[in-house]
Structures are given as structure tokens and as C-alpha cells.
Amino acid sequence: DKDSIIALYESKESEKNVSDSRLTGIAKDKNLIVVQMEALQQFVINLKINSKEVTPNLNKLIGDSLYFDNVFYQVAGGNTSDAEFLTNNSLYPAKEGAIYHLYPENTYHSMANILKGKGYNTYSLHGFEKTFWNRNKMHMTLGFDRFFNEEDFVLDDFAGWEGQALSDSSFFRQSLDKIDTSKPFYSFFVTLSSHHPFTYFEDFDFDVGEFQGTYIGNYLKAANYLDKCIGEFIADLKKRGLYDNSLLVFYGDHSAVKKIEAEGLLQLLDMEYSEQEWMKLQKVPLIIHYPNQSKSEVISTIGGQIDILPTIANLMDFDAPYALGKDLLNHDDDKGYVILRDGSVITKDFIYFNDLREIYDFTDGKPLDLKLYSDKITSYINELSVSDIIITKDAFKHGFEK
Ligand code: GP9
């Protein structure tokens, strides 16, 4: 087991482009604010309906940020909690079930644990029941000093999830007062209002035209509501002087539109269904704004949520030697890849479906000869097995060191 872990880390080391150090340390010693956005898929970004932008605030943020437009979600049975796990640890989720329930007592080289070692205060915030996804245990294990949950908020406004959960607007409004902003901090926000079903938003004042009253129409309204709350949050960060004193990271956690609702989405985007095109829709936006950044840059390297921690580590100039992901800013664009938990793999050259044992050209969608790619795919999938060994054997607790 140990040898396979060492071998994987060694191969990762050789994959790194050591001559590059793009934007390294641009946010060194700054605060880190990460916002995980519920069910926000990438297709809503820059989308207009009846000539109105669905996400005007995120689009505006992209205007002076790094925008990663080829990032796929990698969650499995742990859904939202898997996205949290991937982002904070740069390890893969469990094959079955949720790591948050299965391995809450492991040792992890998580973002909060690393930053705590550098003197940061660390906070996580989510306006729902603390035991959901076992967060009350897991957020402590991941190194958050405080987990602010439903019990810590005044439940004064509700939106989404059938109107039963604290609204994102109120959540953001109350959150920044809970953080000691006089010392360097890492705060991890997990939003909630745009959780399915989206029916709560049906009568919201955002014109979705012919999609009014449909699943996809309600989703667009939910995304528009989330975006409005993000706009309020950014305004608050600016007012408090935190906008240019922090590294800001926004990303979506998982899909909102399952295959069963594909028809509405394809109609919206004017697309025909194919497995390949559907797979390409399984992306989430990743937006990173570094202090005083004034121009936009689009990074199209293929990646996933597992790459968020190494990318942040580069920008803040800290070591994350146990991350399995890659720094998306310093990776050869042509060699980008993402491995999904079911063993499917996407690169700029191909999309491999592990359940179908089929492979297609990424660009034109034509079938490829799997035999020619099988070694490559085996080596990609090996990452999942090694991540499983690290977690199931609790390797970091039992002294595994690089
Ligand atoms: C609830 C929330 C939901 O706290 O994070 O998780 P999900 O159902 O989207 O996995």
C-alpha cells in the first residue's frame, strides 16, 4: 500500500511543470474566503434569457477574476459533502457512501489544517442543521476552529428548499459579523437556497419566458436568486475592506439538472442529446479573484474540484504536498484531465465512459479505439485506488509521510 502511495506522489511530482510559477504567492498571507454554491452548474454563467443575464453578479466578478471554464464536478454518494471534501483535501470521495459519514475521524492534510499551522483562524459556515452530512464532526476534523450552523443564525428569512431553510441573503448578511476579521482567516461558506426542488422560486420576479413553471425555469430563478445574494455578499466584502485583502474563491458543488430533466435544458441551450455532449454539461463554474486583480483571465485546462486546493496553494504560496489534484494555473493546458468517481476520464483528447467501456473524441464526439487508450486510462484510474487506500487505511494518521 505504502509503495503504491509513494509511486503515485512521485509520478505527480514529475508531472509538475517546475519552470512555471504563474501567479505564485499573489495572495500570500491574505485572508481566504471560499464559497461553495449549491447546485450551480456552469451553463448558467453568461447565459441570457429574454435578454437578461441569469447570473449578472458572477458574470461581473468574472470580469476582473480568473475564470476556470473547464472544471467538472467529481462528487459521488456524498453529494454536497463530497464537494466540500474534494475542495478541502484534494482527495477523491468514497466509491460508495459519503466520506463525511464513513471516515470523520481520520487525519487529513486539509486546507484549514494547513492554514491553522500558519496562524490563520478558520471558520466554516452553513445555515442548516449542524448534523446534516455529519458536518459537526467532520468540520472539526478538517481543522475548522468554529462551525457556524443554523443554531448560530437568527432565522429571520427563508428561501429555497420548500421555504424551510435560512435564505442565502440572510446567511451572508449575518456571516461576516461572526468572523474575527482583524486576524488572517480562512472562511468556508456553503450556500443552500438553490437546493432542489426549485419550485419555491416559481413566482420569483425573474422572467424566464417560455420556461415559466418548468423545472428548468424554476432552476434559472433559483440560480438568479443565488447570484443576487452573491452580489450582496461581494458588496459587503467591499464595504468591510475585505475584497482586496482576501483571495476569493467561488465554485459550484454538483449538478442541478439530472438526466431525467435533460429535455428542458437541451431546449434552453438549443442542443441535441448525446452522452458526450451531456457529459460536457457536467461542469461547475470556478472563479478566483486575487487581491487587486483588475483584469479577467480565462483558464481552460480541464480539471475538477480536486484541483481547487493546489491552485489556491500556489496563489497563497503554501505547500500542499499530499494533494492529489493539480495547480490549474501551472499545468500544461494540453495535459489537463479530470477523473470522475465512477472511473470515467475526460481530457482534451477524449471522453472515456467507464460504465459503458466506451471512448470518444472530445472535440468531434466520434468513437475511438479503446485498446489504444487502455494503458493511459488504467494509470488515471489508479489515482482513485490510491486515494481509497489513503482514506480507508487512514494513512496520514499512521505515519505516511512523503
Ligand atoms: C444541506 C445541504 C444539502 O445541509 O448541504 O446537501 P445535498 O442534498 O445537496 O447533498
Tab-separated table of all heavy atoms in Angstrom, residues 5-57:
chain	number	residue	atom	x	y	z
A	5	ILE	N	1.250	4.350	-2.793
A	5	ILE	CA	1.029	5.773	-2.486
A	5	ILE	C	2.266	6.581	-2.914
A	5	ILE	O	2.163	7.600	-3.598
A	5	ILE	CB	0.745	6.002	-0.974
A	5	ILE	CG1	-0.469	5.180	-0.505
A	5	ILE	CG2	0.478	7.486	-0.702
A	5	ILE	CD1	-0.744	5.265	0.992
A	6	ILE	N	3.450	6.055	-2.536
A	6	ILE	CA	4.693	6.766	-2.888
A	6	ILE	C	4.818	6.903	-4.409
A	6	ILE	O	5.128	7.984	-4.928
A	6	ILE	CB	5.932	6.042	-2.296
A	6	ILE	CG1	5.926	6.210	-0.770
A	6	ILE	CG2	7.236	6.596	-2.875
A	6	ILE	CD1	6.926	5.346	-0.043
A	7	ALA	N	4.530	5.815	-5.104
A	7	ALA	CA	4.662	5.836	-6.574
A	7	ALA	C	3.747	6.888	-7.190
A	7	ALA	O	4.138	7.603	-8.120
A	7	ALA	CB	4.349	4.452	-7.144
A	8	LEU	N	2.543	6.997	-6.666
A	8	LEU	CA	1.620	7.988	-7.242
A	8	LEU	C	2.129	9.409	-6.982
A	8	LEU	O	2.157	10.243	-7.893
A	8	LEU	CB	0.201	7.829	-6.682
A	8	LEU	CG	-0.788	8.850	-7.238
A	8	LEU	CD1	-1.027	8.648	-8.738
A	8	LEU	CD2	-2.141	8.793	-6.520
A	9	TYR	N	2.568	9.661	-5.748
A	9	TYR	CA	3.068	11.011	-5.462
A	9	TYR	C	4.300	11.337	-6.312
A	9	TYR	O	4.466	12.461	-6.756
A	9	TYR	CB	3.376	11.178	-3.967
A	9	TYR	CG	2.137	11.445	-3.123
A	9	TYR	CD1	1.820	10.636	-2.042
A	9	TYR	CD2	1.292	12.523	-3.405
A	9	TYR	CE1	0.684	10.877	-1.269
A	9	TYR	CE2	0.153	12.765	-2.631
A	9	TYR	CZ	-0.136	11.944	-1.565
A	9	TYR	OH	-1.253	12.202	-0.806
A	10	GLU	N	5.139	10.319	-6.528
A	10	GLU	CA	6.323	10.563	-7.371
A	10	GLU	C	5.918	10.913	-8.797
A	10	GLU	O	6.473	11.822	-9.407
A	10	GLU	CB	7.250	9.343	-7.345
A	10	GLU	CG	8.133	9.359	-6.102
A	10	GLU	CD	9.027	8.123	-5.975
A	10	GLU	OE1	9.009	7.253	-6.884
A	10	GLU	OE2	9.713	8.050	-4.947
A	11	SER	N	4.925	10.186	-9.295
A	11	SER	CA	4.524	10.483	-10.682
A	11	SER	C	3.884	11.873	-10.762
A	11	SER	O	4.024	12.575	-11.752
A	11	SER	CB	3.609	9.402	-11.244
A	11	SER	OG	2.305	9.559	-10.775
A	12	LYS	N	3.212	12.285	-9.687
A	12	LYS	CA	2.617	13.639	-9.672
A	12	LYS	C	3.721	14.688	-9.707
A	12	LYS	O	3.602	15.711	-10.354
A	12	LYS	CB	1.777	13.858	-8.410
A	12	LYS	CG	0.650	12.916	-8.276
A	12	LYS	CD	-0.675	13.646	-8.167
A	12	LYS	CE	-1.743	12.861	-8.834
A	12	LYS	NZ	-2.399	13.459	-9.919
A	13	GLU	N	4.768	14.413	-8.948
A	13	GLU	CA	5.900	15.340	-8.875
A	13	GLU	C	6.494	15.547	-10.277
A	13	GLU	O	6.743	16.669	-10.702
A	13	GLU	CB	6.955	14.705	-7.960
A	13	GLU	CG	7.620	15.546	-6.899
A	13	GLU	CD	6.845	16.735	-6.371
A	13	GLU	OE1	5.884	16.578	-5.613
A	13	GLU	OE2	7.247	17.861	-6.737
A	14	SER	N	6.651	14.431	-11.014
A	14	SER	CA	7.288	14.549	-12.329
A	14	SER	C	6.355	15.211	-13.347
A	14	SER	O	6.811	15.777	-14.339
A	14	SER	CB	7.744	13.176	-12.829
A	14	SER	OG	6.629	12.353	-12.980
A	15	GLU	N	5.065	15.173	-13.077
A	15	GLU	CA	4.068	15.783	-13.966
A	15	GLU	C	4.114	17.312	-13.861
A	15	GLU	O	3.703	18.027	-14.757
A	15	GLU	CB	2.717	15.297	-13.436
A	15	GLU	CG	1.512	15.391	-14.283
A	15	GLU	CD	0.315	14.820	-13.493
A	15	GLU	OE1	-0.327	15.601	-12.784
A	15	GLU	OE2	0.054	13.618	-13.584
A	16	LYS	N	4.619	17.800	-12.691
A	16	LYS	CA	4.594	19.247	-12.463
A	16	LYS	C	5.523	19.986	-13.404
A	16	LYS	O	6.630	19.534	-13.682
A	16	LYS	CB	5.044	19.551	-11.022
A	16	LYS	CG	3.926	19.451	-10.040
A	16	LYS	CD	4.380	19.909	-8.678
A	16	LYS	CE	3.360	19.507	-7.641
A	16	LYS	NZ	3.900	19.385	-6.313
A	17	ASN	N	5.050	21.134	-13.836
A	17	ASN	CA	5.891	21.955	-14.686
A	17	ASN	C	6.678	22.905	-13.786
A	17	ASN	O	6.214	23.992	-13.453
A	17	ASN	CB	4.989	22.728	-15.655
A	17	ASN	CG	5.786	23.268	-16.807
A	17	ASN	OD1	7.004	23.350	-16.724
A	17	ASN	ND2	5.105	23.652	-17.858
A	18	VAL	N	7.871	22.454	-13.364
A	18	VAL	CA	8.587	23.194	-12.326
A	18	VAL	C	9.070	24.572	-12.765
A	18	VAL	O	9.316	25.444	-11.930
A	18	VAL	CB	9.796	22.400	-11.764
A	18	VAL	CG1	9.341	21.369	-10.752
A	18	VAL	CG2	10.597	21.754	-12.874
A	19	SER	N	9.194	24.763	-14.066
A	19	SER	CA	9.704	26.065	-14.512
A	19	SER	C	8.629	27.150	-14.382
A	19	SER	O	8.920	28.319	-14.347
A	19	SER	CB	10.182	25.975	-15.952
A	19	SER	OG	9.094	25.597	-16.753
A	20	ASP	N	7.382	26.722	-14.316
A	20	ASP	CA	6.298	27.704	-14.224
A	20	ASP	C	6.043	28.105	-12.784
A	20	ASP	O	6.078	27.285	-11.888
A	20	ASP	CB	4.999	27.098	-14.770
A	20	ASP	CG	4.973	27.131	-16.284
A	20	ASP	OD1	5.935	27.668	-16.851
A	20	ASP	OD2	4.024	26.603	-16.870
A	21	SER	N	5.738	29.344	-12.582
A	21	SER	CA	5.267	29.745	-11.256
A	21	SER	C	4.324	30.917	-11.468
A	21	SER	O	4.510	31.981	-10.933
A	21	SER	CB	6.423	30.101	-10.332
A	21	SER	OG	7.231	31.068	-10.944
A	22	ARG	N	3.315	30.655	-12.283
A	22	ARG	CA	2.383	31.712	-12.631
A	22	ARG	C	1.554	32.108	-11.417
A	22	ARG	O	0.889	31.283	-10.805
A	22	ARG	CB	1.473	31.225	-13.749
A	22	ARG	CG	0.771	32.341	-14.475
A	22	ARG	CD	0.594	31.983	-15.925
A	22	ARG	NE	-0.377	30.933	-16.096
A	22	ARG	CZ	-1.628	31.157	-16.468
A	22	ARG	NH1	-2.049	32.379	-16.680
A	22	ARG	NH2	-2.442	30.164	-16.640
A	23	LEU	N	1.624	33.382	-11.092
A	23	LEU	CA	0.838	33.982	-10.000
A	23	LEU	C	1.159	33.396	-8.625
A	23	LEU	O	0.394	33.566	-7.675
A	23	LEU	CB	-0.659	33.887	-10.277
A	23	LEU	CG	-1.162	34.676	-11.501
A	23	LEU	CD1	-2.651	34.419	-11.720
A	23	LEU	CD2	-0.921	36.172	-11.343
A	24	THR	N	2.288	32.729	-8.504
A	24	THR	CA	2.652	32.145	-7.213
A	24	THR	C	2.769	33.244	-6.155
A	24	THR	O	3.458	34.246	-6.357
A	24	THR	CB	3.993	31.385	-7.326
A	24	THR	OG1	3.843	30.414	-8.346
A	24	THR	CG2	4.380	30.719	-6.014
A	25	GLY	N	2.079	33.054	-5.052
A	25	GLY	CA	2.190	33.982	-3.923
A	25	GLY	C	1.466	35.304	-4.091
A	25	GLY	O	1.618	36.195	-3.247
A	26	ILE	N	0.656	35.456	-5.127
A	26	ILE	CA	-0.029	36.731	-5.354
A	26	ILE	C	-1.005	37.053	-4.202
A	26	ILE	O	-1.351	38.210	-3.973
A	26	ILE	CB	-0.756	36.727	-6.728
A	26	ILE	CG1	-1.210	38.127	-7.155
A	26	ILE	CG2	-1.958	35.823	-6.767
A	26	ILE	CD1	-0.346	38.758	-8.169
A	27	ALA	N	-1.404	36.005	-3.471
A	27	ALA	CA	-2.313	36.240	-2.330
A	27	ALA	C	-1.688	35.737	-1.027
A	27	ALA	O	-2.389	35.369	-0.086
A	27	ALA	CB	-3.643	35.540	-2.585
A	28	LYS	N	-0.360	35.761	-0.983
A	28	LYS	CA	0.342	35.256	0.211
A	28	LYS	C	-0.074	36.059	1.448
A	28	LYS	O	-0.184	37.290	1.388
A	28	LYS	CB	1.851	35.387	-0.009
A	28	LYS	CG	2.684	34.599	0.982
A	28	LYS	CD	4.161	34.687	0.601
A	28	LYS	CE	5.075	34.129	1.656
A	28	LYS	NZ	4.966	32.723	1.897
A	29	ASP	N	-0.341	35.364	2.520
A	29	ASP	CA	-0.713	35.949	3.822
A	29	ASP	C	-2.049	36.675	3.820
A	29	ASP	O	-2.386	37.354	4.791
A	29	ASP	CB	0.384	36.893	4.337
A	29	ASP	CG	1.709	36.185	4.522
A	29	ASP	OD1	1.665	34.975	4.820
A	29	ASP	OD2	2.771	36.815	4.344
A	30	LYS	N	-2.789	36.597	2.723
A	30	LYS	CA	-4.111	37.243	2.689
A	30	LYS	C	-5.156	36.309	3.296
A	30	LYS	O	-4.907	35.120	3.491
A	30	LYS	CB	-4.505	37.566	1.236
A	30	LYS	CG	-3.552	38.505	0.532
A	30	LYS	CD	-3.584	39.875	1.167
A	30	LYS	CE	-2.659	40.818	0.415
A	30	LYS	NZ	-2.572	42.131	1.055
A	31	ASN	N	-6.335	36.872	3.561
A	31	ASN	CA	-7.441	36.016	4.007
A	31	ASN	C	-7.865	35.122	2.852
A	31	ASN	O	-7.681	35.481	1.690
A	31	ASN	CB	-8.649	36.863	4.418
A	31	ASN	CG	-8.266	37.908	5.439
A	31	ASN	OD1	-7.616	37.599	6.437
A	31	ASN	ND2	-8.645	39.154	5.168
A	32	LEU	N	-8.476	34.015	3.210
A	32	LEU	CA	-9.036	33.131	2.182
A	32	LEU	C	-10.537	32.982	2.424
A	32	LEU	O	-10.961	32.596	3.524
A	32	LEU	CB	-8.345	31.756	2.248
A	32	LEU	CG	-8.954	30.670	1.343
A	32	LEU	CD1	-8.877	31.045	-0.135
A	32	LEU	CD2	-8.250	29.321	1.586
A	33	ILE	N	-11.309	33.342	1.409
A	33	ILE	CA	-12.774	33.222	1.507
A	33	ILE	C	-13.234	32.298	0.380
A	33	ILE	O	-13.066	32.618	-0.799
A	33	ILE	CB	-13.444	34.607	1.371
A	33	ILE	CG1	-13.013	35.502	2.543
A	33	ILE	CG2	-14.970	34.474	1.302
A	33	ILE	CD1	-13.505	36.937	2.467
A	34	VAL	N	-13.752	31.142	0.756
A	34	VAL	CA	-14.211	30.172	-0.240
A	34	VAL	C	-15.726	30.033	-0.113
A	34	VAL	O	-16.246	29.852	0.992
A	34	VAL	CB	-13.523	28.794	-0.021
A	34	VAL	CG1	-14.050	27.763	-1.017
A	34	VAL	CG2	-12.007	28.917	-0.142
A	35	VAL	N	-16.414	30.134	-1.243
A	35	VAL	CA	-17.875	29.995	-1.229
A	35	VAL	C	-18.275	28.830	-2.131
A	35	VAL	O	-18.041	28.867	-3.340
A	35	VAL	CB	-18.569	31.291	-1.717
A	35	VAL	CG1	-20.096	31.106	-1.713
A	35	VAL	CG2	-18.173	32.485	-0.857
A	36	GLN	N	-18.827	27.799	-1.520
A	36	GLN	CA	-19.339	26.664	-2.293
A	36	GLN	C	-20.824	26.932	-2.584
A	36	GLN	O	-21.630	27.099	-1.666
A	36	GLN	CB	-19.170	25.365	-1.500
A	36	GLN	CG	-19.743	24.169	-2.239
A	36	GLN	CD	-19.395	22.849	-1.584
A	36	GLN	OE1	-18.222	22.496	-1.446
A	36	GLN	NE2	-20.392	22.069	-1.196
A	37	MET	N	-21.152	26.988	-3.863
A	37	MET	CA	-22.504	27.391	-4.260
A	37	MET	C	-23.357	26.166	-4.597
A	37	MET	O	-22.978	25.361	-5.461
A	37	MET	CB	-22.422	28.330	-5.475
A	37	MET	CG	-21.586	29.583	-5.175
A	37	MET	SD	-21.413	30.690	-6.601
A	37	MET	CE	-20.311	29.764	-7.663
A	38	GLU	N	-24.491	26.075	-3.938
A	38	GLU	CA	-25.374	24.910	-4.080
A	38	GLU	C	-25.891	24.769	-5.517
A	38	GLU	O	-26.492	25.704	-6.075
A	38	GLU	CB	-26.548	25.047	-3.094
A	38	GLU	CG	-27.646	24.013	-3.230
A	38	GLU	CD	-27.213	22.584	-2.899
A	38	GLU	OE1	-26.296	22.399	-2.090
A	38	GLU	OE2	-27.799	21.644	-3.491
A	39	ALA	N	-25.653	23.606	-6.087
A	39	ALA	CA	-26.224	23.197	-7.382
A	39	ALA	C	-26.007	24.213	-8.501
A	39	ALA	O	-26.859	24.357	-9.376
A	39	ALA	CB	-27.726	22.908	-7.225
A	40	LEU	N	-24.890	24.899	-8.475
A	40	LEU	CA	-24.658	25.882	-9.551
A	40	LEU	C	-23.835	25.251	-10.676
A	40	LEU	O	-22.647	24.987	-10.526
A	40	LEU	CB	-23.978	27.145	-9.038
A	40	LEU	CG	-24.204	28.302	-10.041
A	40	LEU	CD1	-25.615	28.854	-9.913
A	40	LEU	CD2	-23.194	29.399	-9.890
A	41	GLN	N	-24.488	25.004	-11.788
A	41	GLN	CA	-23.800	24.426	-12.953
A	41	GLN	C	-23.267	25.535	-13.849
A	41	GLN	O	-23.762	26.671	-13.826
A	41	GLN	CB	-24.763	23.521	-13.728
A	41	GLN	CG	-25.032	22.219	-13.011
A	41	GLN	CD	-25.732	21.178	-13.885
A	41	GLN	OE1	-26.808	20.731	-13.542
A	41	GLN	NE2	-25.113	20.778	-14.985
A	42	GLN	N	-22.301	25.176	-14.655
A	42	GLN	CA	-21.613	26.216	-15.423
A	42	GLN	C	-22.462	26.851	-16.519
A	42	GLN	O	-22.253	27.991	-16.879
A	42	GLN	CB	-20.343	25.627	-16.038
A	42	GLN	CG	-19.398	26.706	-16.497
A	42	GLN	CD	-18.597	26.226	-17.686
A	42	GLN	OE1	-19.047	25.450	-18.501
A	42	GLN	NE2	-17.384	26.686	-17.753
A	43	PHE	N	-23.455	26.098	-17.027
A	43	PHE	CA	-24.174	26.626	-18.191
A	43	PHE	C	-24.939	27.913	-17.886
A	43	PHE	O	-25.313	28.642	-18.798
A	43	PHE	CB	-25.106	25.565	-18.794
A	43	PHE	CG	-26.275	25.193	-17.918
A	43	PHE	CD1	-27.423	25.968	-17.909
A	43	PHE	CD2	-26.225	24.061	-17.108
A	43	PHE	CE1	-28.501	25.626	-17.104
A	43	PHE	CE2	-27.295	23.726	-16.305
A	43	PHE	CZ	-28.432	24.505	-16.302
A	44	VAL	N	-25.171	28.217	-16.600
A	44	VAL	CA	-25.906	29.462	-16.298
A	44	VAL	C	-25.018	30.702	-16.436
A	44	VAL	O	-25.522	31.817	-16.591
A	44	VAL	CB	-26.544	29.455	-14.880
A	44	VAL	CG1	-27.611	28.385	-14.770
A	44	VAL	CG2	-25.499	29.316	-13.784
A	45	ILE	N	-23.712	30.497	-16.395
A	45	ILE	CA	-22.788	31.637	-16.478
A	45	ILE	C	-22.884	32.257	-17.875
A	45	ILE	O	-22.840	31.548	-18.880
A	45	ILE	CB	-21.330	31.178	-16.187
A	45	ILE	CG1	-21.225	30.610	-14.766
A	45	ILE	CG2	-20.325	32.315	-16.392
A	45	ILE	CD1	-21.470	31.564	-13.627
A	46	ASN	N	-23.025	33.557	-17.894
A	46	ASN	CA	-23.152	34.334	-19.145
A	46	ASN	C	-24.375	33.947	-19.988
A	46	ASN	O	-24.470	34.343	-21.147
A	46	ASN	CB	-21.881	34.217	-20.005
A	46	ASN	CG	-20.737	34.980	-19.358
A	46	ASN	OD1	-20.942	36.062	-18.817
A	46	ASN	ND2	-19.550	34.403	-19.376
A	47	LEU	N	-25.269	33.179	-19.390
A	47	LEU	CA	-26.499	32.812	-20.114
A	47	LEU	C	-27.509	33.954	-19.994
A	47	LEU	O	-27.663	34.537	-18.917
A	47	LEU	CB	-27.082	31.539	-19.484
A	47	LEU	CG	-28.401	31.033	-20.065
A	47	LEU	CD1	-28.194	30.399	-21.443
A	47	LEU	CD2	-29.026	29.976	-19.124
A	48	LYS	N	-28.150	34.258	-21.131
A	48	LYS	CA	-29.201	35.279	-21.101
A	48	LYS	C	-30.525	34.632	-21.434
A	48	LYS	O	-30.593	33.785	-22.311
A	48	LYS	CB	-28.917	36.369	-22.138
A	48	LYS	CG	-27.901	37.371	-21.682
A	48	LYS	CD	-27.846	38.526	-22.659
A	48	LYS	CE	-26.816	39.540	-22.202
A	48	LYS	NZ	-26.448	40.449	-23.257
A	49	ILE	N	-31.553	35.060	-20.740
A	49	ILE	CA	-32.878	34.593	-21.107
A	49	ILE	C	-33.763	35.830	-21.212
A	49	ILE	O	-33.749	36.681	-20.318
A	49	ILE	CB	-33.394	33.514	-20.116
A	49	ILE	CG1	-34.767	33.012	-20.540
A	49	ILE	CG2	-33.412	33.922	-18.676
A	49	ILE	CD1	-34.918	31.523	-20.419
A	50	ASN	N	-34.458	35.942	-22.331
A	50	ASN	CA	-35.203	37.171	-22.627
A	50	ASN	C	-34.308	38.389	-22.452
A	50	ASN	O	-34.665	39.364	-21.793
A	50	ASN	CB	-36.457	37.285	-21.767
A	50	ASN	CG	-37.563	36.415	-22.315
A	50	ASN	OD1	-37.530	36.036	-23.490
A	50	ASN	ND2	-38.526	36.077	-21.479
A	51	SER	N	-33.122	38.302	-22.948
A	51	SER	CA	-32.042	39.292	-22.900
A	51	SER	C	-31.617	39.748	-21.499
A	51	SER	O	-30.936	40.747	-21.338
A	51	SER	CB	-32.324	40.477	-23.847
A	51	SER	OG	-33.558	41.029	-23.585
A	52	LYS	N	-31.975	38.971	-20.483
A	52	LYS	CA	-31.489	39.253	-19.110
A	52	LYS	C	-30.505	38.171	-18.667
A	52	LYS	O	-30.775	36.971	-18.841
A	52	LYS	CB	-32.668	39.258	-18.130
A	52	LYS	CG	-33.544	40.486	-18.166
A	52	LYS	CD	-33.280	41.323	-16.899
A	52	LYS	CE	-33.882	42.700	-16.948
A	52	LYS	NZ	-35.332	42.671	-16.980
A	53	GLU	N	-29.390	38.609	-18.080
A	53	GLU	CA	-28.406	37.644	-17.585
A	53	GLU	C	-28.969	36.885	-16.378
A	53	GLU	O	-29.557	37.506	-15.488
A	53	GLU	CB	-27.152	38.365	-17.127
A	53	GLU	CG	-26.345	39.018	-18.235
A	53	GLU	CD	-25.261	39.903	-17.643
A	53	GLU	OE1	-25.558	41.076	-17.364
A	53	GLU	OE2	-24.145	39.422	-17.451
A	54	VAL	N	-28.718	35.578	-16.335
A	54	VAL	CA	-29.170	34.782	-15.187
A	54	VAL	C	-28.284	35.071	-13.977
A	54	VAL	O	-28.767	35.167	-12.843
A	54	VAL	CB	-29.140	33.266	-15.531
A	54	VAL	CG1	-29.552	32.424	-14.326
A	54	VAL	CG2	-30.044	32.977	-16.722
A	55	THR	N	-26.982	35.252	-14.231
A	55	THR	CA	-26.044	35.466	-13.110
A	55	THR	C	-25.232	36.763	-13.324
A	55	THR	O	-24.004	36.709	-13.479
A	55	THR	CB	-25.076	34.267	-12.986
A	55	THR	OG1	-24.376	34.120	-14.246
A	55	THR	CG2	-25.791	32.975	-12.660
A	56	PRO	N	-25.893	37.928	-13.296
A	56	PRO	CA	-25.164	39.169	-13.595
A	56	PRO	C	-24.009	39.453	-12.631
A	56	PRO	O	-22.972	39.965	-13.048
A	56	PRO	CB	-26.244	40.252	-13.491
A	56	PRO	CG	-27.372	39.630	-12.730
A	56	PRO	CD	-27.318	38.169	-13.026
A	57	ASN	N	-24.175	39.086	-11.375
A	57	ASN	CA	-23.117	39.400	-10.399
A	57	ASN	C	-21.891	38.509	-10.566
A	57	ASN	O	-20.752	38.980	-10.479
A	57	ASN	CB	-23.670	39.304	-8.975
A	57	ASN	CG	-24.685	40.399	-8.712
A	57	ASN	OD1	-24.336	41.578	-8.690
A	57	ASN	ND2	-25.944	40.023	-8.567
